[in-house]
Amino acid sequence: MSNLEDLYREIILDHYRSPRNRGELPTPPAHRVEGFNPLCGDDVVIYLNVRDEVLEDIKLTGHGCSISQASSSLMSAAVKGRSLAQVQSTIDTFKELMTGHDASLSKDEEIDEELDLRTLGELAALQGVVKFPVRIKCAMLAWNALRQGLEEFAQSPGH
Ligand code: ZN
């Protein structure tokens, strides 16, 4: 159990110190969306390149606490190159993780955690955040911005 918590902490620190997909993409064709979490002062700017229903590229910049920055890095790695349907499914899964409603898990905790690592990959590292309700907004910031960006893109004329 504690080994797993150490592993999760390592993953979060690794993504905080070496954020993945950091940067900007030219707009257009990229769609740009911002998110801000006034409770903690975290911000994120996401650039999305969508083509043929695939999130071909994602870059982001931002500032804030380790949870918000690690979560945005983990998110970018999890969704880059995926179909929009897969991206939506990942957003939903992560939201379930943060709200603590995952009906697919059994009651055996150790099996649960192995299952989490298999199905969620490194995203499972953020599940400890659920114990700290204030930090859930930090972890969700980039995900909410991604969802908003994809909705705006879908509604934008001429795509
Ligand atoms: Zn924060």
Side-chain angles (χ1 to χ4, degrees), residues 37 39-42 64-69 134-135 137-139:
N37 171 22
L39 289 176
C40 188
D42 311 312
C65 68
S66 57
I67 295 295
S68 69
Q69 300 308 300
V134 171
R135 311 313 297 280
K137 290 210 185 284
C138 303

Side-chain angles (χ1 to χ4, degrees), residues 62-81:
H63 309 86
C65 68
S66 57
I67 295 295
S68 69
Q69 300 308 300
S71 183
S72 61
S73 172
L74 282 156
M75 178 195 79
S76 71
V79 301
K80 184 176 173 176

